[in-house]
Structures are given as structure tokens and as C-alpha cells.
Amino acid sequence: MSFDRVGARLEAAIEEARRSGTDPDVLAALNSSCDMFKRRDAFTLKATSEHSKTLAKISHETYTHDWQWEHDQGNIPRVFYPRMTSGRLEGQFLKSLVSMQRAKRILEVGLFMGNGALSMAEALPADGEIVSLETCERLKNLVEEMTKSSHHAKKIRVELGPAIETAKKLVKAGEKFDIIFLDGDKKDYSTLAKMAFDDNLLSEGGTLLVDNAFFLGAAYMPSDDSHLAQGLLDALDSCKAPLHRVMVPMNDGVLMVRRMADVETDTA
Ligand SMILES: C[S@@+](CC[C@H](N)C(=O)[O-])C[C@H]1O[C@@H](n2cnc3c(N)ncnc32)[C@H](O)[C@@H]1O
């Protein structure tokens, strides 16, 4: 099953129904719904372009790496999980957007194993650049090691440190980005989204992409983190320029935000 909260809940319901000896017809109906989810996910991936060789290597390493060992060695601040990766579907989606936007400069918040960064780098021109903000130095080293066989890796510049502090430095230095992809600490989202538009970290005509915009379901189900989702929408509503938003229900949700003036160009 994909990274879909509704699907995960359905699987749990089936397990519960099985344990409690539910009517076989009800169980069959539940199983059939779950099967539909799985087939849809499988078809979605079948219809989506394959990874490049290096992205396939990243994917394999993400799922087989001994994260517990890395943590026990003190190399990483907490045990990471493979599902933190944006994966093939979202990676190819990002790559497509980079090409449609004809982006040259991209800011990513949260590198992890570099799936998003390399997917986007593959669609950048030779003089394009991705600045990826990451707190964990071990991840930077792992990504450098895994991507050295790809000529696109030279376009990825990793800046170590907490995202908001680094973003402030980028604003001060007058750096601008055609695409900003937020995929780090969810608590930083509102601040970074405001910086994108109000501090013009996002260039004219640029696109802000916010990953995990469903906040693992907290955006639409009552949860301790529900305020984070509402906070993000409030922050966007309070930006100086009117914005256009579209919620793409892929994985844990990707919110796409652009200045309204770049979307509705015919104002006559
Ligand atoms: C969901 S993963 C990123 C996935 C990646 N963008 C991809 O496409 O596969 C989140 C990453 O953000 C990093 N991170 C967490 N808090 C951060 C912060 N305050 N500043 C910078 N990076 C942070 C984590 O170490 C982790 O590697």
C-alpha cells in the first residue's frame, strides 16, 4: 500500500474485521476496496517513467540502509525511515515541473537521500543549480557518494544547518529561486512559505511546492498537528500578494502555490 493514510486505515479495519469474525461478505467487500487501492497505486507507478540508474541506486539504498546502525553509531540524530523519501512518483512529478517551469535555480528544504534533489537536477540545464538545506551531515556525505556517477550531481549544492537560519542568509544575499520545494521540518513550513513570497526568495513567476501538505492526515482529521496545516494556509492567506493554490493529492499531499498575477495574466 502506498503512503496513503486512508489506505492504511482500511488495512487496519480489515485486520480488525478478520480478528472479530465479521460476516464473510463484509470482509470480502473490504478486501475488494483494499485491492482497488493497491491496483490503482501499482498502475500509477506503471504509467510513470522509470528512475534513472542513479535514482534507482538511491531508492535501493534508502530501503536497505541500516538506519538503526547509523543511529547507534551517532551518525544521525534519529532513526530515519525509507518512507521519508519522495519516491519515484513524486520525483518524476518534480522533474516534470522543473522542465515545464524551465527552472534554473531551485531551493529544496530537506535533502534526505537526495531523491527529490537528483530528480529535479536531471531536468535542470547544465548551468542550473539546486540548493538543498539539510541538518544532517551524514546524509550529505551519503548523497555525494551515491550520486558521484551522475553528471547532474554537480548541480546540487547542500547547505548544512537549520533551514530557517540558512533561508534568512539566502534572502540577505539576494538569492532567488524559480522553484522552492519544502520537505523538511513541518513546523518551519509557515515561516518558509512567508519568506518565499514576502521576502521574494521565490523569483517572479516561481512556484512553491509544499510536500506532506496533508500532514500525515492531520490536515483533515483532528490531531495534535492540525494547527500546523491550518497555520500554513493562514500564513499563505496573509502574504502580501494574492496567491493561487492547488492541492495535489499525491503521496502525503503536495500543495502547489503561485502568485495569482503569474496565473491569471489576462486581467482585462
Ligand atoms: C522528508 S525528508 C526529505 C526528503 C527529500 N526531500 C526527498 O525528496 O526524498 C526530510 C529531511 O529534512 C531534514 N530536516 C529536518 N529538519 C530540518 C531543518 N530544520 N533544516 C534542514 N533540514 C531539516 C531531515 O534531516 C530529513 O533529511
Side-chain angles (χ1 to χ4, degrees), residues 227-258:
H227 68 284
L228 292 175
Q230 191 53 49
L232 170 65
L233 297 184
D234 291 346
L236 293 168
D237 280 341
S238 71
C239 283
K240 290 177 218 155
L243 304 175
H244 178 267
R245 309 195 300 234
V246 58
M247 181 75 217
V248 184
M250 173 192 300
N251 293 344
D252 189 34
V254 182
L255 185 65
M256 198 184 299
V257 194
R258 288 167 55 75

Side-chain angles (χ1 to χ4, degrees), residues 84-86 108 110-112 116 133-135 139 161 163 183-185 188:
M84 286 164 60
T85 181
S86 47
E108 176 187 56
L111 172 73
F112 189 39
L133 313 188
E134 177 55 62
T135 41
L139 291 175
D183 195 14
D185 189 337
D188 292 350

Side-chain angles (χ1 to χ4, degrees), residues 88-106:
R88 177 157 69 87
L89 173 63
E90 197 171 333
Q92 296 302 316
F93 177 71
L94 293 170
K95 183 172 177 173
S96 204
L97 286 178
V98 172
S99 70
M100 290 193 298
Q101 175 98 43
R102 299 199 188 287
K104 280 192 87 171
R105 304 207 70 233
I106 297 168

Side-chain angles (χ1 to χ4, degrees), residues 32 41 48-49 55 57 70 76 89 95 113 122 124 202 211 216 239 259:
S32 151
D41 283 354
T48 298
S49 287
L55 282 169
K57 195 198 310 177
E70 289 282 2
I76 56 177
L89 173 63
K95 183 172 177 173
M113 288 291 266
E122 287 179 352
L124 278 178
L202 190 70
D211 198 16
L216 302 177
C239 283
R259 293 180 183 90

Side-chain angles (χ1 to χ4, degrees), residues 54-63 113-115 118 146-147:
T54 311
L55 282 169
K57 195 198 310 177
I58 285 178
S59 175
H60 177 76
E61 194 57 35
T62 302
Y63 281 89
M113 288 291 266
N115 181 76
L118 188 65
M146 287 183 296
T147 57

